[in-house]
Amino acid sequence: MSSFVKLSPITFYFISIICFVLANVIREQSVPVYYLSLVLGLVFFFLGLYKRVNSKK
């Protein structure tokens, strides 16, 4: 978990973009994986946003 905290906000944004692209590609084949990828993308996006806001303080 400590290595997860050390990641920069841009890494979280990049992971969220990968999740969104994966969700778009998988949409027709597997609906549960599609929604899981969307949720993971949103989680990583907000984690990156949270880290960016906290690093400016």
Side-chain angles (χ1 to χ4, degrees):
M1 191 70 174
S2 64
S3 63
F4 195 68
V5 173
K6 294 179 184 177
L7 293 174
S8 67
I10 194 74
T11 307
F12 287 110
Y13 293 143
F14 186 67
I15 293 171
S16 72
I17 289 171
I18 290 172
C19 288
F20 290 138
V21 169
L22 180 68
N24 196 23
V25 170
I26 301 262
R27 180 177 36 188
E28 298 295 324
Q29 286 83 16
S30 178
V31 175
V33 176
Y34 168 70
Y35 285 115
L36 179 68
S37 295
L38 281 180
V39 169
L40 282 175
L42 285 172
V43 167
F44 280 113
F45 175 77
F46 284 115
L47 279 174
L49 190 66
Y50 176 74
K51 279 196 64 93
R52 189 181 71 142
V53 168
N54 278 347
S55 68
K56 287 188 175 186
K57 289 182 178 180

